[in-house]
Amino acid sequence: MSVVDNSQRSNACGGLEVDFYWYHGGGGTTDDHIALAVDALMAAIKTPACRLWNPYNERLTRAMFKKRLEKAAQGKLRPPQELKSLRGADILFEIRWTDVNVHERPTDGPERHITVEVRLIHAQPYDALGLCILGLHAHEKTIIIDDEKATKDIQDGQIDIAERRLLSGRSECWGVTRRR
């Protein structure tokens, strides 16, 4: 089931409202869990040591992540630009960001501004948590120029992380408290 295809609970604008949980996020509101997911997304793109962040750019990037996640919780994402089913089984999905601006100071060249792609892999375990998005893993998409297979292999590794969390976390309800 995909949040864009299900119409069990609509909001005033006609989109589907869902709960949003972040893996091992405990209790709290959708906003609390979205904040945890934004932190995970930022951590993913801050990992390279050569990245430079000024407070303005970081606030802008955080706001962009938050807005898309809020849109997801409202059931208003547009596939395939913002949402995609992974591995064709409609078990795992990714929320997608392209053209995320970052500033780098590499050791082997001049400072540069580049854009990166960022992904949040999630599941929708309706049987355990009701109508929801369960964020499992955030990562920056690694693209190997002129090597689609290597790029796909790296992406598959990221999906595997999310899939392991989905399967291993079920017995403990993924470390979250169901709201409804």
Side-chain angles (χ1 to χ4, degrees):
M1 145 180 73
S2 165
V3 291
V4 295
D5 296 333
N6 194 321
S7 60
Q8 293 183 9
R9 191 172 68 225
S10 294
N11 65 21
C13 298
L16 175 67
E17 294 180 20
V18 299
D19 284 322
F20 184 97
Y21 298 97
W22 181 250
Y23 182 76
H24 277 277
T29 65
T30 287
D31 289 342
D32 295 332
H33 282 258
I34 286 175
L36 293 172
V38 168
D39 288 345
L41 290 159
M42 287 302 299
I45 62 174
K46 284 183 160 187
T47 297
C50 65
R51 299 260 166 95
L52 305 173
W53 290 91
N54 67 52
Y56 174 76
N57 190 31
E58 183 166 345
R59 277 193 309 272
L60 228 99
T61 304
R62 284 181 173 277
M64 176 185 60
F65 288 147
K66 181 181 179 202
K67 183 178 180 180
R68 174 93 27 105
L69 296 174
E70 289 171 344
K71 193 174 172 183
Q74 296 167 356
K76 295 181 178 179
L77 294 182
R78 295 180 327 258
Q81 299 88 0
E82 298 174 319
L83 178 72
K84 179 182 175 190
S85 176
L86 299 175
R87 295 186 177 159
D90 285 343
I91 294 171
L92 292 175
F93 304 85
E94 67 180 9
I95 298 173
R96 311 166 100 193
W97 290 265
T98 57
D99 299 329
V100 176
N101 294 311
V102 296
H103 183 172
E104 293 185 335
R105 183 181 295 150
T107 56
D108 61 347
E111 283 188 25
R112 61 186 179 198
H113 292 274
I114 63 168
T115 59
V116 297
E117 296 186 23
V118 184
R119 305 291 190 253
L120 184 138
I121 301 173
H122 71 279
Q124 299 173 15
Y126 181 79
D127 58 325
L129 291 173
L131 196 56
C132 75
I133 293 170
L134 172 64
L136 296 165
H137 180 58
H139 70 97
E140 179 179 329
K141 181 173 182 174
T142 301
I143 299 171
I144 307 299
I145 297 170
D146 297 327
D147 194 339
E148 289 181 33
K149 183 185 178 334
T151 298
K152 184 180 181 328
D153 289 346
I154 293 167
Q155 176 72 5
D156 285 345
Q158 299 295 332
I159 296 168
D160 289 344
I161 292 168
E163 191 170 50
R164 282 192 300 273
R165 287 181 178 175
L166 176 64
L167 297 173
S168 68
R170 181 173 286 281
S171 65
E172 60 180 28
C173 199
W174 302 281
V176 302
T177 304
R178 184 175 178 171
R179 288 185 209 102
R180 303 174 212 203

